[in-house]
Amino acid sequence: LHIPMYFFLASLSLLDAAYISTMAPQILVHLLAPVQVMPRHACLTQIFLLHFLAPWECCLCTATAHDHYAAICQPLRYLVLMGQRTRTGLASISCLLALTSALTHTILAALLKFCGPRLIAHFSCDLPPLLKLSCSTTWANELALLFFGFLVALAPCALVVSSYIHVVAAVFRTHSAEGRRKAFSTRGAHSTMVCIFYITSVLHCILPSSSHSGLRDRVPSVLYVGLAPMLDPIVY
């Protein structure tokens, strides 16, 4: 349990627990309560936690991919490459990027003005449905979404794909069938969770902007909030 892989698995487990505890209880309240009201400060708090925990998990998935790359492609140097300082540094950088993203989105959301109806057609207080209700200019919010979407989502995804390519190439250079089976079994759990995480994230972020159905807006968010955190412990 002291090898680097379990450090990242433990971190991802804690993040999943925190993330689903941030979103799921509020969704249940809105489904069951006769008066579905969320105060302004609670909405901003949920935006901060959402844009802090999700990017942090995304960056930690990338760090886990790097850990697997080092274990398979550089096995003799693995414990040196993924030492305590490296693990702490990767986790700290991930946290700092996520915190910067969350603070930026929360501050910009706090500056929005709302003149008309304030009914959010959504299960949670997220930025895309909130921006649709604002009567003030939202270009800064949209620019921040694009910038941090690239920084904490697309760039980590590209790094994960790159590590997969190197790992697959290294596995196919292995002449032992047992070695290939062991390498793919080690990689299988992480690749499954990365696919689930990114597919639900893309559905959550892209479909609402292109669809006019409230149901299609909300179903991806439920998958994004509940599916990946629920399946993580089962898959791993």
Side-chain angles (χ1 to χ4, degrees):
L1 295 178
H2 295 284
I3 66 175
M5 181 180 70
Y6 289 106
F7 170 81
F8 293 113
L9 290 182
S11 302
L12 287 171
S13 299
L14 291 174
L15 279 178
D16 281 333
Y19 182 63
I20 201 168
S21 299
T22 300
M23 307 295 292
Q26 191 65 48
I27 292 176
L28 294 176
V29 167
H30 288 168
L31 288 173
L32 299 175
V35 180
Q36 303 171 347
V37 176
M38 176 178 282
R40 178 184 176 87
H41 68 274
C43 179
L44 293 175
T45 301
Q46 192 171 66
I47 289 175
F48 173 82
L49 292 174
L50 173 64
H51 289 277
F52 175 57
L53 296 173
W56 193 0
E57 180 167 358
C58 189
C59 293
L60 274 183
C61 282
T62 308
T64 308
H66 176 70
D67 171 73
H68 288 183
Y69 161 79
I72 294 174
C73 298
Q74 303 285 338
L76 299 180
R77 302 175 57 206
Y78 173 61
L79 293 179
V80 176
L81 292 174
M82 299 303 298
Q84 180 67 34
R85 181 177 297 180
T86 303
R87 299 197 302 270
T88 305
L90 289 173
S92 301
I93 292 172
S94 302
C95 179
L96 185 60
L97 287 174
L99 183 61
T100 304
S101 171
L103 286 175
T104 303
H105 289 309
T106 306
I107 292 171
L108 291 175
L111 299 177
L112 293 175
K113 296 180 181 179
F114 301 93
C115 308
R118 302 185 181 186
L119 178 63
I120 299 178
H122 214 266
F123 285 122
S124 60
C125 195
D126 199 3
L127 276 177
L130 199 65
L131 295 180
K132 293 179 182 178
L133 299 179
S134 175
C135 60
S136 59
T137 178
T138 60
W139 66 267
N141 304 77
E142 294 169 359
L143 185 62
L145 282 172
L146 287 175
F147 175 75
F148 284 107
F150 172 80
L151 186 63
V152 301
L154 293 181
C157 181
L159 292 174
V160 170
V161 172
S162 176
S163 75
Y164 281 173
I165 293 173
H166 284 87
V167 166
V168 170
V171 169
F172 281 116
R173 286 197 300 267
T174 303
H175 299 292
S176 167
E178 178 65 21
R180 287 195 296 268
R181 186 199 63 78
K182 187 174 181 180
F184 278 124
S185 66
T186 303
R187 198 69 175 173
H190 180 258
S191 59
T192 302
M193 288 318 306
V194 166
C195 289
I196 293 174
F197 181 77
Y198 276 109
I199 289 173
T200 54
S201 301
V202 167
L203 289 174
H204 173 66
C205 295
I206 292 178
L207 280 183
S209 62
S210 60
S211 102
H212 300 283
S213 167
L215 180 62
R216 288 186 63 187
D217 281 6
R218 293 188 287 269
V219 169
S221 69
V222 174
L223 296 176
Y224 179 61
V225 170
L227 184 63
M230 179 183 68
L231 291 180
D232 267 352
I234 299 173
V235 173
Y236 280 126

